[in-house]
Amino acid sequence: MARILDRRRLVPNLHLIEVEAPEVARKCRPGQFVILMPDERGERIPLSISDWDAARGSVTSVFLTVGTSSHKLSRLAAGDEIPVYVGPLGRPSEIENFGTVLLAGGCFGIGAIYPLARALKKAGNRVLTVIDVKARYLLYWEDKLRAASDRVFIASRDFALDSKQYVPAKIEEILGAGPKVDRVIAIGCTYLMYSCAMATKPRGIKTIVSLNPIMVDGTGMCGACRCTAAGRTKFACVDGPDFDGHEIDWDELFKRRKSYFDDEIRSLCYWERKEFP
Amino acid sequence: MAEDKKELSPDAKARLKAEYGREWRQELRKATPLKDRMKAERRKMPERPPEVRNKDFREVNLGLDAEAARAEARRCWDCANPQCVSGCPVGIDIPSFVKLIEQGKFLEAAWKLKETNSLPAICGRVCPQETQCEDLCNVKKATGRAVAIGNLERFAADFERGSGKIVIPPLPPPTGRKAAVIGAGPAGLTVAGDLAKLGHKVTIFEALHISGGVLVYGIPEFRLPKAILKAEVEYLKRLGVEIRTSFVVGKTATIDDLRADGFEAFFIASGAGLPNFMRIPGENLVGVYSANEYLTRVNLMKAYDFPNYDTPVFPARRAAVIGGGNVAMDSVRTAKRLGAERAMIVYRRSRQELPARIEEVHHAEEEGIEFHFLTTPIRYLGDEAGHVRAMECLKMGLGEPDASGRRKPVPIEGSEFTTEVDMVVVAIGQSPNPLIPQTTPGLTMGKWGNIDVDWKTMRTSLEGVYAGGDIIRGGATVILAMGDGRIAAAEMDAYLKARPRS
Ligand SMILES: Cc1cc2nc3c(=O)[nH]c(=O)nc-3n(C[C@H](O)[C@H](O)[C@H](O)COP(=O)(O)OP(=O)(O)OC[C@H]3O[C@@H](n4cnc5c(N)ncnc54)[C@H](O)[C@@H]3O)c2cc1C
Ligand SMILES: Cc1cc2nc3c(=O)[nH]c(=O)nc-3n(C[C@H](O)[C@H](O)[C@H](O)COP(=O)(O)OP(=O)(O)OC[C@H]3O[C@@H](n4cnc5c(N)ncnc54)[C@H](O)[C@@H]3O)c2cc1C
Ligand code: SF4
Ligand code: FES
């Protein structure tokens, strides 16, 4: 059992969850994730680690409400307990002085790039951060990211914000404007990561993505998380989650992520009928 | 043939002999003449009818009742030289427990079993008795039908559990020594129990959220009800064992971290959790599972009760399971239970070579499982959504015997054919889990990714670190894992007691 210390809505559909997990907090590195189960009948779902506090013994993630598990999580409150919280899983991201690193985050990835920004900055990099939001009211952690980055750009389709473009176009614009970028790291929904990788491919800039295939155990035992990188099958939970975005078989990933599409809808409807009769 | 006929230690022989000579045993032997014992038919294990049981997950075998158990026990001659014992990897005093059953002393029989086997209710259900104890049974030599040792083992253990009279042995004063057990499968549970009974403070670290290893995530409810495992785990807790679930050693903390936290001895029992694939085209299509994933979804996550439980699993119409071992049988029988119209075993060798237990094969056939021998898939074909829709196979012939002594399957050229399937489960074996080796510097590994140990002591290349079960053997059996645990626990006890106080 793990105790929830905080659970609050950041912006519509995106929530923060902070969990008491001293061992995980002691051990975790940027780029790793946890697996949790919202209740005894729940599914084991992976969430990236967005922050941690070793002294307080806590670990924070940001999640998007999509299906049953994330909806269940969004209804928990500080003091509640969840039956499974295990981590830190996956290999930590490579952190060294690459020179200039461009980070791109969208959706829960805005949270997930934060520890990377912090660590890369500390390692001596110039950190350029692009936050992708559909509209202004979906922006969160801008201040945290500004504090951890050299520059922050906002990619958005909201006319109230300056850019009015989706993140790959923004990346093109930044790269076109001249600064030499040595590495790009993109975290968010599969489509965002895919399109960032496509945007940087012609320029040959190494682009790391944090893959999000369906997982069960997260320890290499089941193979649910298989994906193909450079023509070879990998288990994302132990070989990743970071991979070179130019080597990924994206079509396979998109399809495998949709494996249980009908079941997920059925599950959510079933849960909603029970919760909101 | 018995896979593993063991020469008993002089100690074990002496113990058997002393028990054999006891007065009550002599009298019991005299009470029924051999020819009467030989006349009795082997008692059949009562089973639920195939067409009923293949639709649900309740246990197939119902267990002998007391009368049948005593009658079955009476078939045993109580031999002066009991061969069965050398067929048991842990050397259970089989005649003693069987004769206690004959006498109606069922609880005593269970205690006798527990002297050498801490999980008899489990072994009685899943051990391959037909190639171990029962294969060497003298009654089998004389009549063709061995004493049903496994069924009797199960009976005694179930009786004890049902009686509510599970005794907690008197525990010695705490030694103040801390031992860490990594993995809560049969190997780890055995070591934990043994060390706790010797007064050590034991903590089990388990990656998953429920203890039991393969016994909980792999072997299905219809063969091994989870309640049995739960009772065993409760028993360990009552012995003072602490269990930390959702703790991945190598990730949450390394062995070195645990050492720094005051653990002095370690037993690595992390199993053979890495699923093997065939590396053929289409293996990553949606609907192609490893057996581990398929069984974990169904058993551990209870996907058979979706949407009451949140984890889904494909309900196949035409399911193909690749492989011929227990894992394949469990997978294919699971697919049938989840509603598959056709549930097929696709195995590259012939019936004679099937590595699964005979009882499982027999049960599978009764339940309407199809067997396709001498066949191997070479490619999976998908539809537009990337979901498997067919598989292309090759027919095989049998060539010369290979290293395992089994005839090697050789492809027959031009024999390709395609068959429609909407789910595939790959059950061709597991390799040792690499997580701990990767994060434990100095641990010497064998060439199959297994941890190297000294087989007499289960000691690894690192001071105070022992290992056993599937992580040293690759996919083996429950009883061998437990046997390793027994040896390791004794060694760890000696090691802990000899250590200077810091
Ligand atoms: C390494 C990793 C890190 C992730 N980090 C985050 C994060 O920080 N924040 C966040 O919001 N999301 C993250 N995800 C995705 C998150 O796990 C899914 O959104 C979540 O499982 C959805 O569950 P659900 O029941 O709410 O939705 P469902 O309705 O069950 O599923 C919605 C979609 O989520 C995916 N999904 C479903 N079950 C799983 C599963 N067991 N494992 C992985 N994906 C699944 C499927 O592709 C599905 O189409 C991460 C995924 C991975 C693999
Ligand atoms: C489907 C199936 C059916 C089988 N049927 C039979 C049968 O009928 N008869 C028989 O005798 N044998 C059978 N076997 C084989 C038998 O189950 C195994 O040989 C036995 O379970 C091995 O025991 P173990 O303790 O070594 O490992 P496991 O049972 O594999 O347990 C290992 C445990 O360690 C945990 N773990 C792994 N890594 C870590 C880590 N880093 N940190 C913490 N914990 C970790 C795992 O989660 C797991 O719980 C079957 C196996 C399968 C898969
Ligand atoms: S443990 Fe297995 S081999 Fe030993 S007596 Fe029991 S059934 Fe037979
Ligand atoms: S989630 Fe099971 S192997 Fe990666």
Side-chain angles (χ1 to χ4, degrees), chain A residues 23 27 41-44 72 84 86-88 90 220-222 224 226 228 233 252 255-256 259-260 263 270, chain B residues 209 244 246 251-252 257 273-275 283-286 288-290 292-293 297 306-308 310-311 314 384:
Chain A
E23 276 121 350
K27 207 73 188 167
R41 293 185 168 218
E43 198 175 356
R44 292 172 64 101
K72 281 181 171 177
V84 175
V86 55
M221 182 270 274
C222 77
R226 11 200 231 294
T228 303
T233 295
E252 178 184 277
K255 284 174 173 159
R256 286 188 65 81
S259 298
Y260 300 101
D263 288 327
Y270 180 83
Chain B
H209 54 285
R244 296 283 319 268
S246 297
K251 289 288 177 190
T252 314
D257 295 332
L274 184 73
E283 225 170 10
N284 290 350
L285 285 169
V286 176
V288 181
Y289 284 117
S290 75
N292 274 0
E293 182 185 353
R297 283 182 179 274
F306 180 87
N308 279 318
D310 296 345
T311 304
F314 294 121
E384 267 171 22

Side-chain angles (χ1 to χ4, degrees), chain B residues 23 118 138 151 193 205 210-211 240 259 265 284 310 323 333 353 396 401 405 429 436 444 447 490:
Chain B
E23 210 169 306
S118 45
N138 287 329
N151 294 350
F205 297 95
I210 304 181
S211 302
R259 226 191 257 280
N284 290 350
D310 296 345
R333 295 171 70 193
E353 286 85 14
M396 311 292 269
I436 291 176
T444 306
K447 67 172 169 212

